[in-house]
Amino acid sequence: QSALTQPASVSGSPGQSITISCTGTSSDVGGYNYVSWYQQHPGKAPKLMIYDVSNRPSGVSNRFSGSKSGNTASLTISGLQAEDEADYYCNSYTNSDTLGGVLFGGGTKLTVL
Amino acid sequence: QLQLQESGSGLVKPSQTLSLTCAVSDGSISNGGYSWSWIRQPPGKGLEWIGYIYHSGSTYYNPSLKSRVTISVDRSQNQFSLKLSSVTAADTAVYFCARAVVQGVPRAFDSWGQGTLVTVSS
């Protein structure tokens, strides 16, 4: 069981918007603005899509946005496209000694219908 | 554009030590604004952070792997390495090296290697 909780799967039709949640605790997601999101296509390395909760790296589409409320962070993809079908992982720093410094969520499989 | 490339043994026998190296190009491993990490992904499963090393040499490991992990850096070769001892089948995974932007602590992994599959089997 991952320390950050994500839904196993989400789906949406082209053009729609979807949101993926990532729930942690006050020791990680809720306590720091160091939440990031990664997109991973099959057989490929993860790609950074959002960092510091809501910032997009250069080159990432503005259809991707991030937010946080309390201990839950969210990734929203608007105007869904077929190429968005992938696995998505959230990541956060944690100050928990028992968990170490870095946490990943269990991943969410996005299906574009 | 920073590039990271993993190399090492793809097949390791149970109880032996897994050894991987990550070569960094088009960027210096001595840059103080980053840490250098290993992350793995068992087949069909999610990402698991293994540990990271700062340019200073300070290391931080996943507590669940800490007793078996060593990460080191070779600044002369601009590369860093992973050693995982006493491996079992549960250590079979794709191993990624990655760079994290740091501000005291890791903020995000902005560059990744392509990953290398390591299988533990006799």
Side-chain angles (χ1 to χ4, degrees):
Chain A
Q1 186 172 354
S2 300
L4 301 179
T5 301
Q6 299 181 232
S9 63
V10 298
S11 62
S13 299
Q16 290 185 331
S17 295
I18 63 95
T19 296
I20 300 171
S21 61
C22 171
T23 301
T25 70
S26 58
S27 295
D28 37 76
V29 173
Y32 301 88
N33 287 326
Y34 296 146
V35 176
S36 52
W37 290 90
Y38 303 84
Q39 176 192 65
Q40 186 181 34
H41 288 110
K44 300 296 186 181
K47 175 187 176 183
L48 178 64
M49 305 302 285
I50 296 288
Y51 68 95
D52 293 352
V53 176
S54 60
N55 293 313
R56 278 188 310 276
S58 175
V60 172
S61 170
N62 60 9
R63 297 186 299 105
F64 292 82
S65 62
S67 63
K68 187 181 81 167
S69 177
N71 295 336
T72 298
S74 298
L75 172 71
T76 297
I77 308 174
S78 59
L80 269 180
Q81 300 179 0
E83 67 205 48
D84 299 331
E85 186 163 293
D87 293 326
Y88 291 84
Y89 294 90
C90 64
N91 164 246
S92 174
Y93 170 74
T94 176
N95 65 15
S96 167
D97 289 338
T98 58
L99 293 175
V102 175
L103 297 176
F104 282 101
T108 299
K109 182 176 181 59
L110 168 62
T111 300
V112 180
L113 302 171
Chain B
Q1 180 81 3
L2 186 83
Q3 295 193 43
L4 301 137
Q5 179 66 57
E6 304 92 346
S7 62
S9 55
L11 179 63
V12 183
K13 289 181 168 52
S15 79
Q16 293 191 341
T17 297
L18 176 160
S19 295
L20 295 174
T21 295
C22 181
V24 179
S25 56
D26 297 323
S28 172
I29 204 167
S30 297
N31 188 317
Y34 303 101
S35 66
W36 306 91
S37 296
W38 289 97
I39 296 160
R40 69 181 183 179
Q41 186 171 36
K45 296 187 178 180
L47 301 171
E48 180 182 30
W49 170 68
I50 298 170
Y52 59 82
I53 187 166
Y54 284 106
H55 73 286
S56 63
S58 298
T59 52
Y60 296 82
Y61 300 134
N62 186 324
S64 68
L65 299 170
K66 186 175 182 178
S67 63
R68 299 192 291 130
V69 174
T70 301
I71 296 176
S72 59
V73 65
D74 183 342
R75 293 181 187 81
S76 67
Q77 297 293 318
N78 214 39
Q79 64 187 30
F80 61 107
S81 299
L82 167 71
K83 291 188 184 300
L84 181 65
S85 64
S86 305
V87 298
T88 69
D91 295 310
T92 293
V94 174
Y95 285 75
F96 296 98
C97 59
R99 183 183 77 171
V101 179
V102 300
Q103 191 162 352
V105 297
R107 291 165 57 193
F109 298 97
D110 67 338
S111 293
W112 295 68
Q114 65 185 23
T116 186
L117 174 63
V118 177
T119 301
V120 178
S121 174
S122 55

